[in-house]
Amino acid sequence: MPRQRRGPAGVRRALTLITLPVTAASLAAAPAFAAAPAGAARAAGPSGTGVRVEASPSAPPPSGQTVGGPQLASRGVVAGTAPGVPAPPKIKAASYLIADADTGQVLAAKDPHGHYLPASTLKTLTALTLVPKLDPNRLVRPSQKACDTEGTKVGLTPKMQYKVSDLFHALLMMSANDAAVTLAEADGGMRTTLADMNAEARRINARDTLAGSPNGLDKDLGLNVRTQHTSAYDLALILREGMKNPEYRAYMQAIDFQFPAPPTKKERKKGKKVGGYPIHTHNHMLPGERLAYPGMLGGKNGYTIAAQQTFVAQARRGGHTIVISLMRADMPPSAYAAKLLNWGFAARGKVAPVGSLVPPGDIEQTRKDGRSGVLPDAPLASDDSSRMWLLVGGGAVGALLAITALFVVLRRRRRLEAARYRAGR
């Protein structure tokens, strides 16, 4: 009988030796993860680098589904850190983004996916959508409705026709709202153009963007942030994509342009059939302008009372390009933009990225194909909640399976020992 009791006791000891370490290992990981404060993930990068997070009280938890990476779900400031690189500049804007336009690495951001009224920065999407579609030499006659559009205008008249290229100059140089509506008419009408703009936003994964107008007007058209919006992240995506097109880039970089108009009496007497007048860029950061920024490639500003100041721009120095965007700023944006650009050039290549500007196309397919730049995993496995809980869950399941298997063995052995005992009697 003693021998019969020693068998189960040996199994119990084996059960204890196996299950306790496995269970302890699987459960030990959970408190370590739970103890980490929200937004405290450190990114892998050059030695001593990491991620600075200044989360706002209302910040939602980072989500693995956030376009560009989970850290960009923050409503506060999130930025890469490195020795010798200061914190991003403090500017009075509700949202901003700083990224390396060459690699797509987002270096710093504040509420990058927050939805805000775009004002005239929405014209960057209008141009991105229509520049490839419309023949620049095509002649277009504006409707009276287009000519009567509210806000900034270039001064169109139904009495003459304009080249599409003229209209794009007016659109991107001086933010002409009448030119925006006329381009929409050339594309088949307002409904068609808005559908095209929103389809283009989806194509490039600007998923925070909803266009309700081709010019960014809001209150004048009965629009609000629910019916027309974009984000700092999307503005950077849109400009980065647009600047790949040489025609788009030329319109963005134009400083002076002779815009056509009906001839004056004096011009008619001289036999001129078309007159005109000069228009000048509204981007004061272009070369030669009063707030010129070294290396400025192009940008677009916007303002309405409801949207406040908005801006998106690219600059290139030393073979590297930085794109910045800001929304709902409290003053004309050039000074803020210069600070963001300066920080971007100083930080690129040193700080760990906090996300990425995704390429056009299907995000899920891109992830499956393993291409970089789309919804990057957390740089460290210990910073990824899905991976951590997979490991924790896997360890726990393994422990339970081990326990179950050993109890089955124990039960079977007890039955065998009992049968032998009865046979021996």
Side-chain angles (χ1 to χ4, degrees):
M1 293 303 96
R3 184 175 181 180
Q4 293 160 6
R5 294 189 186 97
R6 281 198 300 269
V11 176
R12 289 192 194 95
R13 283 194 298 272
L15 177 65
T16 302
L17 290 173
I18 292 174
T19 57
L20 283 179
V22 174
T23 306
S26 65
L27 294 178
F33 174 74
R42 306 286 297 177
S47 178
T49 64
V51 175
R52 176 187 290 105
V53 178
E54 299 175 19
S56 69
S58 60
S63 166
Q65 298 303 310
T66 302
V67 177
Q71 293 181 81
L72 299 184
S74 173
R75 299 295 303 274
V77 175
V78 57
T81 63
V85 178
K90 293 186 181 298
I91 67 171
K92 292 183 179 180
S95 174
Y96 70 75
L97 183 135
I98 309 170
D100 185 326
D102 300 316
T103 65
Q105 293 179 341
V106 176
L107 308 175
K110 177 183 178 182
D111 193 15
H113 284 293
H115 290 183
Y116 297 92
L117 289 168
S120 287
T121 53
L122 189 63
K123 293 180 173 101
T124 59
L125 177 61
T126 308
L128 176 65
T129 304
L130 298 183
V131 166
K133 291 189 66 179
L134 302 179
D135 180 351
N137 293 312
R138 175 183 166 188
L139 293 174
V140 179
R141 187 181 301 278
S143 68
Q144 188 62 56
K145 184 177 180 180
C147 297
D148 293 340
T149 302
E150 295 293 327
T152 304
K153 293 187 280 192
V154 71
L156 301 182
T157 173
K159 296 179 181 179
M160 70 175 292
Q161 294 180 309
Y162 301 86
K163 283 185 178 181
V164 163
S165 60
D166 296 334
L167 298 172
F168 278 124
H169 275 105
L171 179 82
L172 294 177
M173 288 177 62
M174 61 170 298
S175 206
N177 294 327
D178 50 355
V181 176
T182 303
L183 286 165
E185 291 175 348
D187 186 45
M190 193 64 68
R191 185 182 297 273
T192 297
T193 298
L194 293 179
D196 288 346
M197 290 172 66
N198 288 314
E200 181 66 8
R202 290 192 298 273
R203 182 187 75 84
I204 67 169
N205 291 307
R207 298 186 178 186
D208 300 320
T209 299
L210 175 64
S213 72
N215 48 33
L217 287 174
D218 39 62
K219 297 293 186 181
D220 290 312
L221 302 177
L223 298 171
N224 55 42
V225 77
R226 292 187 299 277
T227 51
Q228 179 166 273
H229 51 254
T230 189
S231 67
Y233 182 90
D234 281 11
L235 286 179
L237 278 187
I238 292 165
L239 183 65
R240 185 186 186 218
E241 187 68 15
M243 293 294 277
K244 296 175 184 177
N245 184 315
E247 289 181 68
Y248 186 106
R249 197 162 57 246
Y251 298 133
M252 277 286 184
Q253 295 174 345
I255 296 173
D256 290 297
F257 183 75
Q258 189 70 13
F259 195 82
T264 63
K265 288 182 179 180
K266 185 182 291 187
E267 288 171 332
R268 284 199 300 270
K269 286 181 180 179
K270 293 181 179 180
K272 287 189 175 182
K273 294 183 179 180
V274 178
Y277 45 83
I279 61 173
H280 192 77
T281 182
H282 283 190
N283 182 0
H284 302 306
M285 301 183 77
L286 284 170
E289 293 299 284
R290 59 186 175 85
L291 298 174
Y293 185 85
M296 173 59 57
L297 296 176
K300 185 74 191 73
N301 64 306
Y303 173 79
T304 67
I305 293 174
Q308 297 188 39
Q309 300 283 349
T310 62
F311 192 58
V312 59
Q314 273 192 10
R316 188 166 179 82
R317 289 184 187 173
H320 303 287
T321 307
I322 297 295
V323 59
I324 64 94
S325 56
L326 59 91
M327 306 200 75
R328 203 166 176 79
D330 68 334
M331 69 178 197
S334 296
Y336 287 160
K339 290 180 179 181
L340 297 180
L341 287 165
N342 287 340
W343 188 89
F345 282 113
R348 64 147 304 277
K350 298 176 184 176
V351 302
V354 295
S356 64
L357 296 177
V358 300
D362 180 40
I363 286 182
E364 291 305 318
Q365 186 59 47
T366 306
R367 293 182 73 188
K368 291 174 185 176
D369 293 345
R371 284 175 280 171
S372 62
V374 179
L375 295 176
D377 290 337
L380 298 178
S382 60
D383 295 331
D384 187 327
S385 60
S386 60
R387 286 187 191 173
M388 176 59 70
W389 289 112
L390 180 62
L391 291 173
V392 170
V397 169
L400 290 173
L401 289 174
I403 292 170
T404 302
L406 286 169
F407 270 117
V408 169
V409 171
L410 174 61
R411 186 177 179 184
R412 182 174 295 177
R413 179 162 296 188
R414 282 178 174 171
R415 288 177 178 175
L416 289 174
E417 293 291 351
R420 288 173 184 166
Y421 175 73
R422 288 194 296 271
R425 293 183 64 183

